[in-house]
Amino acid sequence: MLFKKIATVAAIATTLAFVGCAKKQEAAPAASEATAAASEATAAASEAAATASEATVAASEATAAAASQVDAAPVASQAAH
């Protein structure tokens, strides 16, 4: 009787071990895909940050150029009078 109980427990433990291993193997590709997607997202965010930085520099240069034209406008107006 005790031998049957031990055999049953061993069978259940073996079955659970196989099921657990199968689930880990199924989860491994998903985790790998998630890691790859996160890496791609990080690269895209880095590119977006670089583009935003370039746009900020361009806007700053345009603002400086516009400001210098505004500063020059009164001088040109006075020269015309």
Side-chain angles (χ1 to χ4, degrees):
M1 186 74 156
L2 183 61
F3 181 72
K4 273 187 165 179
K5 287 182 181 181
I6 292 173
T8 304
V9 170
I12 291 171
T14 304
T15 303
L16 291 175
F18 280 119
V19 170
C21 289
K23 286 185 180 179
K24 285 182 184 176
Q25 289 176 349
E26 290 174 6
S32 178
E33 290 174 6
T35 302
S39 178
E40 290 176 12
T42 302
S46 178
E47 290 177 19
T51 303
S53 177
E54 291 172 6
T56 301
V57 169
S60 177
E61 290 172 356
T63 302
S68 68
Q69 289 179 355
V70 168
D71 289 342
V75 174
S77 176
Q78 289 175 0
H81 285 106

